[in-house]
Amino acid sequence: MDIKELLRPTIKALKPYSSARDEFQGATDNMVFLDANENPFENGVNRYPDPLQRALKSLWSEIKGVPTKNIMFGNGSDEVLDLIYRAFCEPNQDNVITLPPTYGMYEVLANLNAIGIKKVNLDANFQPKVDEILSVVDENSKLLFICSPNNPSGNSFNAQAIEKLVSEFQGIVVIDEAYIDFSKEESWVSKLDLYPNLIVTQTVSKAYAMAGIRLGICYASTEIISVLNAIKPPYNINELTQKKAIELLSVKDIATNQIQDILSEREKLVKALQSVNYISNIYPTDANFVLVKVDDANKRYNQLIEKGIVIRNRTTQPGCVNTLRLTVGTPTENKILIDTLKSI
Ligand SMILES: *Cc1c(COP(=O)(O)O)cnc(C)c1O
């Protein structure tokens, strides 16, 4: 597959903005920087940030075992997804495929970018219907979004099903791994070399406890990464974000330990949910949340709000009638949730 053929003509022809920091690299400490019209008085943020986030990228590369050349950062993975649309999808012409019930941003971004959307609902076990997906593809289908583990169902998709989609779909397959660190499945990042049309996204918002700094990660071939680097806003990851991420990622084992705690809390939560009499189904989860089926989702949602507990009502999503999505919290929060669910 020739990735260049999938790019929008305007993107293929684009000359990226060249920032002061792009044009001069190789700074040493005692140099005089008069190239970017910055205020020279030091306060920690008076200089533009590194547009390629080299220090942060090499740290993340070490943590994940992926070469820096296959990594791009976005202002949240939502920015990464938007850049992917803008690279590959021609407005009012191309379309993307999504697999509801799934993460809402794929559709919002399609609408925002004037891109068509073909939806193929997941089956009753929240697994992709591979043949049906491949049958709706047309010559303008540029992106296929696979969210695994899936939000809001929580399950991972069957690996053979994903494999078939990645090998047979003649466009870009985006595997959104926002919850991969909670999963027993392996990341698809290790398969980038096998599939030139594969893009994997991750985020520090969930397992890494950094939703507030807005940092998303994109992994792809060097060919795709260089296109995304060329079209991203030059300074898309601000200095505070880069510094804070480096600071928190440098604390050894913090994420690993918290993930273990969340997983053991999830197990306890699932057990306790079994004795709530109006919960009729607890869906298998590979993420830091649990989807449950109740007798009346709107009623239970409002009762919980009255008790000061905010969860997500997913009842309007395809295949999700009367379901609620519960995020795994601290042991104290989970106890409050369970006690309240039993009392209402
Ligand atoms: C939370 C979530 C994201 C959001 O990632 P950000 O990096 O915070 O923008 C992406 N995908 C899925 C499936 C999510 O649930």
Side-chain angles (χ1 to χ4, degrees):
M1 191 183 308
D2 187 356
I3 298 302
K4 273 195 199 71
E5 288 312 304
L6 292 171
L7 289 171
R8 290 168 61 199
T10 43
I11 299 295
K12 244 189 289 190
L14 187 81
K15 269 207 190 72
Y17 172 71
S18 181
S19 71
R21 284 293 166 274
D22 286 325
E23 291 186 3
F24 179 78
Q25 291 167 15
T28 57
D29 278 346
N30 49 11
M31 286 182 122
V32 176
F33 282 100
L34 302 174
D35 60 343
N37 301 343
E38 297 151 333
N39 179 322
F41 300 106
E42 275 300 333
N43 64 4
V45 288
N46 60 312
R47 298 291 176 182
Y48 280 102
D50 177 359
L52 291 173
Q53 312 94 22
R54 276 162 274 237
L56 175 57
K57 207 170 279 176
S58 69
L59 179 57
W60 188 257
S61 159
E62 248 173 68
I63 292 172
K64 291 289 174 182
V66 180
T68 53
K69 64 183 182 4
N70 297 111
I71 301 176
M72 197 225 37
F73 290 130
N75 185 357
S77 44
D78 289 347
E79 184 186 47
V80 170
L81 298 172
D82 188 50
L83 290 171
I84 296 169
Y85 267 96
R86 290 201 275 160
F88 294 102
C89 298
E90 194 63 29
N92 302 308
Q93 174 187 308
D94 288 335
N95 66 71
V96 302
I97 301 168
T98 66
L99 314 178
T102 194
Y103 185 51
M105 276 309 280
Y106 314 139
E107 182 167 2
V108 171
L109 289 169
N111 294 338
L112 190 60
N113 288 292
I115 306 303
I117 181 160
K118 291 171 180 264
K119 300 181 190 178
V120 182
N121 289 350
L122 297 172
D123 72 14
N125 297 317
F126 296 123
Q127 289 293 331
K129 295 184 258 188
V130 175
D131 294 334
E132 197 174 326
I133 294 164
L134 293 171
S135 77
V136 303
V137 173
D138 65 32
E139 76 273 14
N140 293 318
S141 301
K142 293 294 173 65
L143 308 176
L144 164 61
F145 289 97
I146 293 178
C147 186
S148 182
N150 186 44
N151 180 2
S153 56
N155 63 303
S156 293
F157 292 167
N158 178 295
Q160 278 104 0
I162 298 180
E163 177 111 55
K164 183 156 189 211
L165 291 169
V166 179
S167 9
E168 297 198 11
F169 179 60
Q170 296 296 304
I172 301 290
V173 175
V174 180
I175 304 186
D176 184 340
E177 294 187 337
Y179 299 98
I180 192 69
D181 301 285
F182 302 107
S183 171
K184 49 192 179 318
E185 299 293 320
E186 234 187 278
S187 166
W188 284 78
V189 168
S190 58
K191 306 254 169 62
L192 286 177
D193 288 342
L194 295 177
Y195 305 105
N197 61 330
L198 176 61
I199 296 179
V200 177
T201 64
Q202 294 177 355
T203 177
V204 300
S205 297
K206 310 284 161 55
Y208 286 86
M210 290 185 247
I213 70 170
R214 311 309 301 131
L215 182 67
I217 306 101
C218 174
Y219 308 90
S221 67
T222 52
E223 192 175 13
I224 293 176
I225 292 295
S226 71
V227 171
L228 297 177
N229 273 332
I231 67 175
K232 78 179 182 64
Y235 303 111
N236 63 329
I237 311 297
N238 73 67
E239 183 68 16
L240 299 176
T241 294
Q242 296 189 40
K243 281 195 178 134
K244 192 70 187 177
I246 289 171
E247 178 197 322
L248 293 181
L249 291 171
S250 302
V251 186
K252 217 175 157 352
D253 294 334
I254 186 169
T256 322
N257 291 337
Q258 290 181 350
I259 291 164
Q260 276 319 308
D261 290 349
I262 290 168
L263 289 180
S264 74
E265 276 302 304
R266 182 182 78 188
E267 207 170 310
K268 279 196 258 170
L269 179 63
V270 166
K271 222 171 246 148
L273 290 170
Q274 287 162 2
S275 56
V276 178
N277 57 35
Y278 53 84
I279 292 181
S280 57
N281 203 349
I282 303 163
Y283 295 89
T285 177
D286 227 5
N288 64 334
F289 58 84
V290 189
L291 190 75
V292 296
K293 196 179 214 57
V294 297
D295 53 350
D296 182 343
N298 294 335
K299 175 176 133 188
R300 300 303 177 187
Y301 178 82
N302 289 327
Q303 287 177 318
L304 286 170
I305 291 280
E306 270 166 36
K307 303 275 184 190
I309 299 176
V310 188
I311 52 148
R312 202 85 199 269
N313 185 353
R314 298 285 76 191
T315 192
T316 58
Q317 300 298 301
C320 294
V321 174
N322 282 325
T323 61
L324 301 173
R325 194 191 69 192
L326 317 172
T327 304
V328 180
T330 62
T332 314
E333 290 171 332
N334 301 331
K335 184 171 185 318
I336 295 173
L337 173 66
I338 287 295
D339 291 348
T340 309
L341 284 171
K342 286 182 176 167
S343 76
I344 58 179

